[in-house]
Amino acid sequence: MNKFGGDWTKKKIEILVEYAKAYLKIMAKYPHFHLLYFDGFAGSGIIVKDKNIDIQLTIGAARRIVELDNPKQFDTYYFVEKVKKNADLLEKFTKYEFPQKNILIVSEDCNLKLVDMAKYLKSPKGKDTKVLAYIDPCGMQLEWSSLQSLKSLNVDMWVLVPTGLGVNRLLNKNGNISTGWLKRLVKFLGMSEVEIKRYFYFTESIETLFGKEIHESKVKNAIEKSAILYRDRLNEIFSFVTLPFVLRNTKGTIMYHLFLASNNKTATKIGNDIIKKFNRIN
Ligand SMILES: C[S@@+](CC[C@H](N)C(=O)[O-])C[C@H]1O[C@@H](n2cnc3c(N)ncnc32)[C@H](O)[C@@H]1O
């Protein structure tokens, strides 16, 4: 079972479900499309908040989406979950309980499956398929190159970006980032090391006892800057990207930003309305 999350865990699921309901309502008018729901970091179906103190179970996004069927359901559900134990549990909570639905569960890396899905959508078989995708990693597992494969395709994608919990933590104060962390940032942002440094750091010349020294310093608002950067990058792949829903921990620190990206303007209009509503009550 997945063990994580604060209140943001519930909020991001409610946002997704509200959007999926609106999406299915609209798509009920276009029965010739094959509707595919793709969840790249699907989890186990159940989320345990803190089993040591006060057990609190949250039904995961995968199961919540499978439950939707009025006025329409998805034609296919494709769940990717790398950890086999989680994938097996998810199977119990979805496939076994809804045997009449077309549910596929694979224990694989989401990055590989995004590329496979893109190939399918570009093939004659996938030409009438529309996708609602949910990309909900806990860390920086999503690679930019996998997202690039979705360019110009019929995909509405909700993506959770670990701006505070991921990017900001890897960018240390003096720019002395370890090789491993830099590699992770390069894969995640799809930018070169030089571009990343130029964006998040500035150099200043400081007068010391022994003359001038050049210091590299991190920008103050790195979390917000990483959200702006990621949104701009998404806009290079998708025509429209919503405002972010900001996910904070109990101390008010920003952990993640959630975006909807799509090539359909109406999709992001609906997404923005939902996000604004949730940001107001955040
Ligand atoms: C935040 S959880 C997902 C929670 C889920 N969306 C829900 O509502 O229950 C992220 C999940 O992604 C899985 N995971 C981590 N890396 C992965 C990868 N590269 N590909 C697919 N799944 C991965 C983890 O095992 C974990 O279960």
Side-chain angles (χ1 to χ4, degrees):
M1 262 180 228
N2 286 111
K3 291 178 201 146
F4 47 78
D7 254 11
W8 75 73
T9 301
K10 288 184 187 161
K11 285 179 190 155
K12 69 184 177 185
I13 295 175
E14 293 312 323
I15 288 174
L16 170 76
V17 171
E18 192 164 329
Y19 181 80
K21 283 181 182 170
Y23 181 89
L24 290 169
K25 199 170 165 189
I26 293 172
M27 292 316 296
K29 296 178 199 146
Y30 304 96
H32 64 284
F33 281 118
H34 183 92
L35 299 190
L36 168 64
Y37 178 74
F38 177 97
D39 188 338
F41 294 83
S44 62
I46 290 275
I47 300 156
V48 180
K49 191 179 174 196
D50 189 340
K51 79 178 170 71
N52 297 320
I53 306 166
D54 172 22
I55 295 177
Q56 197 187 330
L57 295 179
T58 301
I59 307 289
R63 165 72 189 239
R64 292 284 304 279
I65 295 294
V66 170
E67 284 173 357
L68 301 177
D69 52 15
N70 188 17
K72 187 173 169 59
Q73 63 183 46
F74 286 92
D75 297 299
T76 305
Y77 303 82
Y78 195 91
F79 295 124
V80 188
E81 168 52 52
K82 198 171 179 186
V83 176
K84 178 81 173 71
K85 210 170 75 183
N86 288 343
D88 290 345
L89 273 170
L90 183 64
E91 191 155 26
K92 281 197 189 132
F93 287 125
T94 57
K95 206 172 157 76
Y96 293 173
E97 291 197 29
F98 296 85
Q100 74 287 7
K101 295 201 173 185
N102 185 21
I103 298 173
L104 303 161
I105 299 171
V106 291
S107 186
E108 273 276 13
D109 186 329
C110 169
N111 292 293
L112 300 176
K113 291 295 140 188
L114 279 171
V115 174
D116 286 352
M117 178 171 75
K119 277 187 201 147
Y120 173 79
L121 294 175
K122 285 174 195 162
S123 76
K125 272 194 203 163
K127 97 176 166 27
D128 288 329
T129 299
K130 275 190 180 285
V131 181
L132 174 58
Y134 184 49
I135 305 296
D136 178 31
C138 20
M140 293 175 62
Q141 297 90 350
L142 183 63
E143 292 174 14
W144 189 254
S145 58
S146 333
L147 285 189
Q148 273 177 318
S149 66
L150 302 180
K151 194 170 173 68
S152 308
L153 297 176
N154 252 331
V155 179
D156 289 3
M157 180 187 71
W158 284 94
V159 59
L160 186 75
V161 188
T163 46
L165 207 71
V167 178
N168 184 51
R169 289 196 182 169
L170 299 196
L171 299 166
N172 50 19
K173 280 194 179 137
N174 57 7
N176 223 345
I177 312 171
S178 75
T179 316
W181 285 9
L182 255 180
K183 275 193 181 148
R184 175 65 21 222
L185 284 162
V186 165
K187 278 194 169 182
F188 182 74
L189 296 169
M191 292 162 67
S192 70
E193 293 180 8
V194 173
E195 287 169 329
I196 292 170
K197 287 237 177 151
R198 202 180 292 142
Y199 187 80
F200 287 106
Y201 292 88
F202 60 93
T203 48
E204 53 187 344
S205 149
I206 295 172
E207 201 66 57
T208 72
L209 187 62
F210 306 119
K212 273 187 183 158
E213 279 180 17
I214 302 292
H215 282 258
E216 208 167 32
S217 303
K218 183 174 157 182
V219 293
K220 287 238 156 41
N221 53 346
I223 299 182
E224 288 80 4
K225 270 199 98 170
S226 63
I228 293 167
L229 174 68
Y230 207 86
R231 187 176 184 219
D232 289 348
R233 299 287 283 131
L234 283 173
N235 245 161
E236 290 170 24
I237 300 175
F238 296 90
S239 310
F240 308 99
V241 183
T242 60
L243 300 165
F245 173 66
V246 186
L247 293 88
R248 297 169 194 272
N249 66 13
T250 46
K251 290 180 186 150
T253 309
I254 299 175
M255 313 294 273
Y256 298 94
H257 283 80
L258 177 71
F259 296 96
L260 170 67
S262 173
N263 292 312
N264 182 315
K265 199 172 181 179
T266 309
T268 48
K269 189 194 169 310
I270 297 169
N272 270 326
D273 288 346
I274 299 172
I275 287 169
K276 278 182 203 155
K277 185 175 100 184
F278 276 81
N279 271 336
R280 267 198 303 275
I281 54 175
N282 207 7

